Amino acid sequence: MKLPHLIANLMICAPAMAGQTWITNVKLISPEKLDRIESGSVLIDNDRIVRVERGSGGKTPAGATRVDGKGYYLTPGLIDSHVHLFAVPGMSFEQADHMQTMAKEYFAQMPRSYLYYGYTTVIDLAAGSREFIDRVKAMPRHPDIYDCGPPLVFANGYPSSYTPPAYRFEVFSNFIYDPAQADKIPARYKPEDYTPAKGVARAKKDGAICVKTHYEHGFGAQRNLPVMSPAVYGEVRAAATKDGLTLVTHGNSFEAQTFAVNGGVDVLAHGMWHWGTLNNSPELPDEIKQLLDKVVERNIGYQPTMQVLYGLRAYVDPEYLNTPVLSKLLPPTMLAWLKTPEGNWFKEEVAEEGETDETVRKNMESPLRRQRQVVAYLASKNANFLFATDTPSSPTYGNIPGLNGYLEMQDLRSAGLSLAQLFKAATINNARAFHLENDLGSIEPGKVANLVLMKESPLQDVRAYDTVDTVWVRGKPMARESLAVGQ
């Protein structure tokens, strides 16, 4: 590294910015003023924005540290509202426990990988371990983290069904008791302690800002899982309203999203790639359009999570693990292991026995087509899109923190979102949906100083999201290259 470059990096990464910081010579892009993309400056006092000036740069305030933005584009920090921090992409929980050194190396890098692509805030929709979340928050460089606390699951339903019955109710301890399954629930769990209201209250007590529920009959070997009734869901809705929590529901089918919309959901946690009996329709059916019109009318937050499917398809993409940036986002030992036969273990779950890679790709095209059609329709109606990746959606190495967000951006753009819709989805829309708009989502005085400096404008090309120069989290700056593995 050349000495001037080194000195510049040391200056921009220096933690000695106690007090005020003056970021100047930037073009301001904030969702509440997309009609005014102009040069300006931002004054930060510790962790808050205290002044925003548009037009001439003006003088550096006395005593403030001046940061020259080089004419680049300053945006609010990006928000990914659907992550799972406790999971290791490409590993089962058993493998992560067996290869603890590799897992620890991954977790040490994971929060930096989100920051590498400008995600200064993430929301964990199923934070099963408060201790783990607190450990990540204690790391020197990490995004702001919010969560839904332990997911509120229906007894023996998804996703608890994938945990052995012997300890299922210990792992998924925040569940809703189902009297019809009394013989399948250990006697020590009393119905009066596991009502919808008490489940929501447990999430609230745990510090959650939302509550995560599910409507999922299952897939693969499990296709007849129990789901809650409309009456039970109504109790969850009432409790979430009472406790001031955003109600999020997992559901990727027409049936599931109909159930959630009719029940008053705030946020749909997936796109719709299962249309049930309408799967073979080449065009978007009128029945689905009518449901999506309700999503728009009610301003329901919609998380397309297109990388769920593309992340699975990575196992039949021979070049995915050779993506150059992966060496900056994953520890070298882990990246090398993922390229071994052992590291490709999950491919057996993606491909049926005897299927070729080409067959798998072909079979995935139909659900991807359906998903794109739904997203395109919602985009044409200017729906309330929320940027979310579901990272990792399963034990797939196709959902790497940071990169997964950048790929989701490209997926959404290709599916029909405008660059302005995409930008709002990753900033103010997410902030509002999760009641964080007083602190996040725009560049305005009084808000938390979570900012991203990009070399190119995200309103001109989606590839701008890969031109991050510097990120600020609560007023603390980090040069992008300082966030890569080994730095």
Side-chain angles (χ1 to χ4, degrees):
M1 180 182 292
K2 294 181 180 179
L3 187 57
H5 189 191
L6 175 59
I7 293 173
N9 273 346
L10 289 173
M11 289 176 65
I12 204 165
C13 292
M17 299 176 107
Q20 295 189 328
T21 302
W22 180 247
I23 306 172
T24 191
N25 188 23
V26 293
K27 296 181 182 69
L28 299 172
I29 301 183
S30 191
E32 85 288 1
K33 291 184 180 292
L34 288 186
D35 59 333
R36 291 187 63 187
I37 309 304
E38 55 191 330
S39 297
S41 304
V42 173
L43 181 64
I44 300 172
D45 192 347
N46 292 311
D47 66 346
R48 295 271 170 176
I49 298 169
V50 294
R51 196 163 95 214
V52 178
E53 287 194 7
R54 285 180 163 79
S56 61
K59 282 188 176 182
T60 303
T65 300
R66 182 180 186 275
V67 175
D68 184 351
K70 311 171 193 175
Y72 295 161
Y73 297 84
L74 190 69
T75 77
L78 306 179
I79 304 170
D80 186 340
S81 61
H82 191 160
V83 304
H84 300 290
L85 300 177
F86 192 62
V88 182
M91 287 188 185
S92 65
F93 286 113
E94 292 77 14
Q95 286 174 319
D97 186 57
H98 178 67
M99 296 182 284
Q100 290 188 15
T101 298
M102 190 182 298
K104 286 179 180 178
E105 291 176 346
Y106 165 77
F107 285 128
Q109 172 60 33
M110 176 263 292
R112 295 153 57 103
S113 294
Y114 280 109
L115 293 171
Y116 188 89
Y117 276 96
Y119 298 101
T120 60
T121 301
V122 297
I123 303 176
D124 193 321
L125 294 194
S129 171
R130 179 60 53 200
E131 179 187 2
F132 175 80
I133 295 290
D134 289 342
R135 284 206 308 270
V136 178
K137 288 182 177 180
M139 293 180 181
R141 297 184 178 189
H142 62 83
D144 276 348
I145 300 170
Y146 298 89
D147 64 79
C148 290
L152 183 57
V153 302
F154 195 66
N156 294 307
Y158 178 89
S160 69
S161 58
Y162 291 91
T163 303
Y167 49 91
R168 176 176 299 167
F169 293 93
E170 295 175 15
V171 174
F172 291 90
S173 58
N174 197 27
F175 70 93
I176 296 173
Y177 197 98
D178 178 18
Q181 299 185 68
D183 59 332
K184 298 178 183 177
I185 302 173
R188 64 182 180 275
Y189 297 104
K190 305 304 179 184
E192 61 270 21
D193 294 330
Y194 293 91
T195 64
K198 289 195 174 179
V200 173
R202 271 190 285 270
K204 176 76 171 181
K205 185 178 179 180
D206 196 47
I209 64 169
C210 45
V211 59
K212 171 76 175 294
T213 59
H214 310 80
Y215 191 95
E216 177 64 73
H217 287 296
F219 39 83
Q222 299 185 2
R223 295 179 180 271
N224 194 30
L225 300 176
V227 295
M228 65 181 75
S229 67
V232 170
Y233 192 76
E235 292 182 50
V236 176
R237 172 68 275 176
T241 300
K242 174 179 175 292
D243 287 342
L245 302 182
T246 298
L247 177 57
V248 182
T249 296
H250 159 105
N252 52 48
S253 67
F254 178 40
E255 178 190 5
Q257 295 196 4
T258 299
F259 174 88
V261 169
N262 289 342
V265 70
D266 293 318
V267 174
L268 286 167
H270 290 292
M272 188 198 304
W273 50 84
H274 293 305
W275 295 357
T277 58
L278 303 172
N279 268 348
N280 292 327
S281 174
E283 304 298 330
L284 192 64
D286 287 341
E287 299 94 320
I288 293 180
K289 289 180 181 179
Q290 291 166 12
L291 176 66
L292 297 179
D293 287 341
K294 291 182 181 179
V295 170
V296 175
E297 292 163 8
R298 299 176 188 180
N299 202 39
I300 294 170
Y302 203 87
Q303 299 180 339
T305 63
M306 299 186 74
Q307 274 300 114
V308 170
L309 296 180
Y310 284 107
L312 295 174
R313 203 171 73 168
Y315 282 87
V316 292
D317 178 359
E319 291 305 311
Y320 176 79
L321 288 177
N322 295 323
T323 304
V325 76
L326 286 178
S327 63
K328 296 185 177 183
L329 306 176
L330 292 176
T333 53
M334 180 176 174
L335 183 55
W337 178 77
L338 291 174
K339 294 179 179 179
T340 67
E342 182 185 12
N344 266 261
W345 68 277
F346 192 62
K347 185 175 182 179
E348 295 180 5
E349 302 293 325
V350 175
E352 299 286 343
E353 186 175 355
E355 282 188 328
T356 65
D357 288 1
E358 182 56 35
T359 300
V360 174
R361 284 192 290 269
K362 184 177 179 180
N363 290 343
M364 283 190 171
E365 187 47 44
S366 290
L368 283 168
R369 170 188 60 81
R370 293 191 290 268
Q371 186 181 36
R372 286 191 292 264
Q373 286 173 287
V374 168
V375 170
Y377 184 82
L378 288 172
S380 73
K381 301 287 185 175
N382 200 27
N384 183 23
F385 284 104
L386 307 182
F387 183 81
T389 60
D390 195 8
T391 301
S393 59
S394 61
T396 172
Y397 59 49
N399 292 161
I400 302 303
L403 174 61
N404 206 42
Y406 180 54
L407 296 175
E408 180 82 17
M409 294 276 189
Q410 296 177 73
D411 298 337
L412 294 171
R413 179 66 176 140
S414 296
L417 265 70
S418 70
L419 291 170
Q421 286 175 319
L422 187 53
F423 182 70
K424 289 181 178 179
T427 54
I428 196 63
N429 289 5
N430 262 335
R432 287 172 178 160
F434 290 90
H435 310 302
L436 300 171
E437 68 271 28
N438 288 338
D439 289 326
L440 303 173
S442 60
I443 304 177
E444 297 181 87
K447 294 203 174 184
V448 171
N450 285 3
L451 302 164
V452 181
L453 187 65
M454 301 182 195
K455 296 177 182 177
E456 298 177 17
S457 170
L459 299 181
Q460 294 177 356
D461 196 314
V462 71
R463 289 174 294 183
Y465 291 100
D466 195 23
T467 67
V468 173
D469 179 86
T470 308
V471 297
W472 284 262
V473 177
R474 295 189 172 265
K476 296 180 179 178
M478 288 161 274
R480 188 187 205 193
E481 289 309 312
S482 73
L483 299 166
V485 169
Q487 300 301 310

